[in-house]
Amino acid sequence: SLVSTPSRPLSADATLKQRRARTIENLAKLGKALNAYAERNSGYPETKVPGSSVDPRMSWRVAILPLLGYGKLFQEYRATEPWDSEANRRVLAQIPPEYQSPERRDTKTHYLVPLGREALVGCERRLHAKSFEDEQNNTLMLVEVDDLQAVEWTRPDDFVVQARLAGSLRPKLGSLRGDGIMGTL
């Protein structure tokens, strides 16, 4: 696995500094796991993009579980069934701490991939490291969204971005702790 040991959940009484540090740690781990997945599989996991014919039954968050040290949980997920089937709801209930925002205590995650024509993911082709127009280290790969945009961690949905409406992003990003927008390259 990419990460030697999975993270422990953060306590509900964690300080603002601890919650911010955990979010930075989570985003870094998820970004590294996504890049490792892309390297091993000749591209990033498929993602559900609005208006696309691609409709994966597995979220990228499920696809990278083995790289985060959760191989057994990955094996429990049934990729041939919908993400919310009875069997997959049992996996949903086992949210890894890396997907758990310090502000939540349920099965939703704030860590999403930006989707859209102007974003990393949003075209009809599978992305590879060489697909980045502005180089991989200049491209936002993951963002921490606010509560209204959070999704169940196994649901193959992410954050839809429209660059021409960039001014409308602020109410959707960066208000969980009031300390700015969090993301990873």
Side-chain angles (χ1 to χ4, degrees):
S1 73
L2 182 68
V3 179
S4 58
T5 57
S7 298
R8 290 188 334 221
L10 199 59
S11 69
D13 61 347
T15 66
L16 179 62
K17 185 176 179 180
Q18 290 170 322
R19 292 191 315 264
R20 181 174 169 68
R22 176 54 64 92
T23 293
I24 292 168
E25 178 185 332
N26 286 347
L27 287 167
K29 283 183 178 182
L30 298 176
K32 285 179 184 177
L34 270 169
N35 285 327
Y37 179 97
E39 189 174 304
R40 292 176 186 185
N41 297 283
S42 300
Y44 292 92
E46 289 183 334
T47 305
K48 183 177 179 181
V49 178
S52 169
S53 60
V54 176
D55 190 17
R57 292 199 184 260
M58 181 187 300
S59 167
W60 63 267
R61 290 176 289 272
V62 174
I64 67 171
L65 281 173
L67 298 166
L68 293 169
Y70 299 98
K72 184 178 178 192
L73 187 58
F74 176 78
Q75 291 174 352
E76 291 178 32
Y77 190 86
R78 295 185 185 168
T80 58
E81 297 180 15
W83 74 270
D84 59 350
S85 70
E86 185 176 334
N88 288 336
R89 282 196 307 264
R90 289 191 290 274
V91 174
L92 172 65
Q94 302 175 62
I95 183 170
E98 289 82 359
Y99 294 122
Q100 192 173 41
S101 171
E103 281 69 33
R104 293 198 85 93
R105 296 285 177 257
D106 60 10
T107 59
K108 287 190 174 184
T109 185
H110 287 116
Y111 308 132
L112 307 181
V113 168
L115 302 175
R117 263 191 6 221
E118 300 87 0
L120 168 66
V121 178
C123 51
E124 290 285 336
R125 58 186 162 75
R126 187 162 184 208
L127 288 178
H128 308 272
K130 295 177 184 174
S131 302
F132 297 92
E133 291 179 22
D134 296 331
E135 298 183 17
Q136 190 171 355
N137 60 350
N138 293 325
T139 303
L140 193 60
M141 181 182 305
L142 296 168
V143 293
E144 179 187 42
V145 298
D146 294 338
D147 277 331
L148 293 177
Q149 283 70 47
V151 299
E152 292 83 357
W153 77 272
T154 58
R155 179 190 287 257
D157 281 342
D158 281 282
F159 182 63
V160 178
V161 176
Q162 294 176 329
R164 65 183 183 280
L165 303 175
S168 67
L169 294 181
R170 188 66 178 140
K172 298 175 181 178
L173 302 171
S175 66
L176 285 176
R177 288 172 299 283
D179 58 356
I181 296 171
M182 303 288 282
T184 191
L185 303 176

